[in-house]
């Protein structure tokens, strides 16, 4: 029996919620938790439809790629997750979405401006877009380091969204605010010139 039974159940429950809420599409997106004391990362497996995902399929691995628990391959973006945990000591949960409005900003490589009070309060300020790197490479995470500094999230050029936290609930809430901020900015930009708040 795994010492991470509860955490694996939480990852499955939040993954399925993300699918229902439209933060994920198809099998894209992934989430992880990092047990820094033991050096174990729990991460969703690659390419498993979320409606049939079960807790036993959550992979436990070291940041160097060594598998500790699980029969399936980890998310193809495990290197990105590892790079963030290696570079941000206060981060222990990571949620990567392809939520549509925020990803549209990423497709344009545009910052999501701080035009709403929630963006400063919940996300730390405007959401920067990290430079492009090919999917599955460690560079996806390394390129996000500068964009994430002083923020609880960023977008990834031509790819998606990263939200970080100390718990998955925290990272999840931030991913919701990122999508909300992108959606409202997209609407505001279509009818006028949104004004930033400090
Ligand atoms: P997997 O986690 O299923 O490999 O998803 C890939 C992905 O979302 C690329 O960003």
């Amino acid at each position: 029996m795994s010492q991470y039974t509860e955490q694996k159940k939480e990852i499955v429950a939040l993954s399925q919620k993300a699918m229902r809420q439209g933060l994920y599409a198809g099998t894209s997106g992934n989430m992880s938790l990092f047990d820094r004391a033991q050096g174990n990362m729990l991460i969703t497996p690659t390419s498993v439809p979320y409606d049939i995902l079960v807790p036993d399929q959550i992979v436990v691995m070291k940041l160097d790629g060594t598998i500790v628990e699980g029969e399936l391959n980890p998310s193809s973006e495990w290197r990105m997750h590892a790079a963030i945990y290696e570079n941000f000591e206060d981060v222990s949960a990571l949620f990567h979405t392809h939520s549509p409005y925020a990803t549209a900003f990423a497709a344009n490589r545009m910052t999501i401006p701080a035009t709403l009070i929630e963006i400063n309060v919940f996300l730390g300020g405007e959401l920067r877009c990290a430079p492009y790197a090919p999917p599955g490479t460690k560079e996806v995470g390394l390129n996000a380091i500068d964009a994430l500094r002083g923020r609880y999230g960023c977008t990834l050029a031509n790819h998606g969204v990263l939200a970080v936290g100390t718990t998955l609930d925290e990272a999840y809430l931030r991913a919701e605010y990122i999508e909300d901020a992108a959606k409202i900015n997209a609407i505001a930009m279509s009818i006028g010139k949104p004004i930033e708040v400090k």
Side-chain angles (χ1 to χ4, degrees):
M1 174 122 160
S2 171
Q3 62 174 317
Y4 295 117
T5 305
E6 289 311 311
Q7 291 90 335
K8 289 180 180 181
K9 282 187 196 161
E10 185 192 11
I11 291 174
V12 171
L14 285 177
S15 296
Q16 292 176 341
K17 184 177 168 188
M19 195 69 212
R20 287 194 301 276
Q21 281 190 278
L23 298 174
Y24 283 164
T27 63
S28 73
N30 32 74
M31 63 174 77
S32 69
L33 271 175
F34 186 45
D35 172 0
R36 201 167 282 278
Q38 297 192 52
N40 289 327
M41 173 167 74
L42 284 74
I43 189 163
T44 44
T46 186
S47 306
V48 176
Y50 291 105
D51 54 348
I52 59 167
L53 182 69
V54 293
D56 275 352
Q57 292 172 324
I58 302 304
V59 179
V60 181
M61 65 190 298
K62 300 291 180 190
L63 299 188
D64 67 1
T66 307
I67 303 294
V68 178
E69 288 174 22
E71 303 293 323
L72 301 179
N73 289 326
S75 166
S76 56
E77 296 295 356
W78 70 265
R79 292 176 188 82
M80 166 187 80
H81 290 246
I84 301 300
Y85 293 131
E86 280 165 357
N87 283 280
F88 291 93
E89 294 221 321
D90 50 346
V91 171
S92 38
L94 207 162
F95 184 23
H96 168 52
T97 78
H98 289 198
S99 64
Y101 281 91
T103 304
F105 275 84
N108 283 319
R109 305 191 181 183
M110 273 170 75
T111 294
I112 302 172
T115 53
L116 303 165
I117 50 169
E118 288 85 0
I119 297 175
N120 288 328
V121 173
F122 289 97
L123 302 172
E126 62 179 11
L127 269 294
R128 306 177 191 113
C129 181
Y132 181 78
T137 63
K138 190 161 191 169
E139 280 63 39
V140 179
L142 296 176
N143 284 1
I145 292 171
D146 284 345
L148 272 178
R149 251 183 247 294
R151 300 288 186 276
Y152 298 119
C154 69
T155 62
L156 308 171
N158 306 94
H159 186 166
V161 174
L162 273 189
V164 300
T166 54
T167 64
L168 265 183
D169 279 340
E170 205 171 60
Y172 193 98
L173 183 69
R174 289 166 177 166
E176 286 182 302
Y177 274 119
I178 293 170
E179 181 60 4
D180 188 58
K183 186 176 186 176
I184 293 170
N185 267 298
I187 296 168
M189 285 170 177
S190 74
I191 58 171
K193 288 198 175 108
I195 294 159
E196 292 201 59
V197 278
K198 298 289 168 212

